[in-house]
Amino acid sequence: MMWTPTHIELVVLRARHLVGKGKAGTNDAYVVMQLGKAKYQTSVQDKAIDPEWNEECDFELPTEASAIELTVLHKDVIGLDKFLGRCLIMLADLDEYGMPLTRWVELGGRHDNKDSKYRGELEVRLTCIVRNHTEASPEQGKLKKAAAVGSRFSTSPTVSGTS
């Protein structure tokens, strides 16, 4: 009997070739992942040229959303965090009964900007999974931290002002 996937497990592995926005051309980089109203954030990798996170989160498969949005930002000590790049992963590209998909995705400009300049790449792993409906599900619409691979994700909200 085939099970219908209920969730997508997303692992943000690492980034490469990011434009340096911090001192000495490095970044204090983090990734915000969003599908529908659910939103997660990785930890900040300080002074990284090619940051590695290896952090995961689970998204409940929505009926209306068609893509996972990944935004890479540089944490700024003073002022607003700086945009490094953005990409979309279309849900239609996933094999719902296949093996985990690991791939590099190219980062581009903001969605409201026609900027197609190369901004680096993000390596992610996506897996369609079946979750028991009795398992805890994070509240929708609140920003939550992703967790290191192998541990369950945190449902505690992160500091505001990182959207």
Side-chain angles (χ1 to χ4, degrees):
M1 175 166 95
M2 294 296 269
W3 294 90
T4 302
T6 59
H7 290 74
I8 293 175
E9 180 183 86
L10 169 65
V11 180
V12 177
L13 297 167
R14 57 191 169 152
R16 64 183 177 196
H17 310 301
L18 297 176
V19 174
K21 297 279 186 170
K23 292 182 179 180
T26 62
N27 289 304
D28 296 336
Y30 66 96
V31 182
V32 175
M33 298 107 18
Q34 183 169 359
L35 177 61
K37 293 182 180 182
K39 196 182 237 187
Y40 294 91
Q41 177 183 313
T42 66
S43 61
V44 176
Q45 296 300 304
D46 294 323
K47 298 177 179 66
I49 295 171
D50 292 332
E52 293 190 22
W53 293 278
N54 205 31
E55 295 179 29
E56 71 181 333
C57 63
D58 288 356
F59 287 106
E60 188 171 344
L61 279 172
T63 54
E64 72 285 343
S66 61
I68 298 172
E69 180 178 355
L70 301 162
T71 306
V72 184
L73 298 157
H74 165 75
K75 183 78 173 168
D76 203 343
V77 178
I78 301 171
L80 296 174
D81 294 351
K82 294 183 174 90
F83 177 81
L84 296 175
R86 176 185 168 272
C87 64
L88 294 175
I89 299 174
M90 305 308 291
L91 296 181
D93 294 343
L94 301 176
D95 179 2
E96 63 184 44
Y97 299 109
M99 298 298 289
L101 170 68
T102 302
R103 70 178 191 188
W104 287 96
V105 289
E106 189 172 313
L107 298 170
R110 299 178 191 271
H111 59 348
D112 58 352
N113 185 338
K114 300 296 185 228
D115 177 12
S116 60
K117 178 173 87 172
Y118 177 77
R119 295 175 173 271
E121 296 173 273
L122 200 57
E123 186 180 27
V124 296
R125 182 174 57 239
L126 297 128
T127 309
C128 293
I129 55 177
V130 176
R131 283 257 187 259
N132 183 336
H133 290 291
T134 61
E135 291 184 47
S137 191
E139 297 174 48
Q140 291 210 3
K142 289 190 177 177
L143 186 62
K144 293 159 282 292
K145 291 193 184 268
V149 171
S151 64
R152 293 296 300 156
F153 56 88
S154 167
T155 58
S156 61
T158 59
V159 178
S160 63
T162 57
S163 57

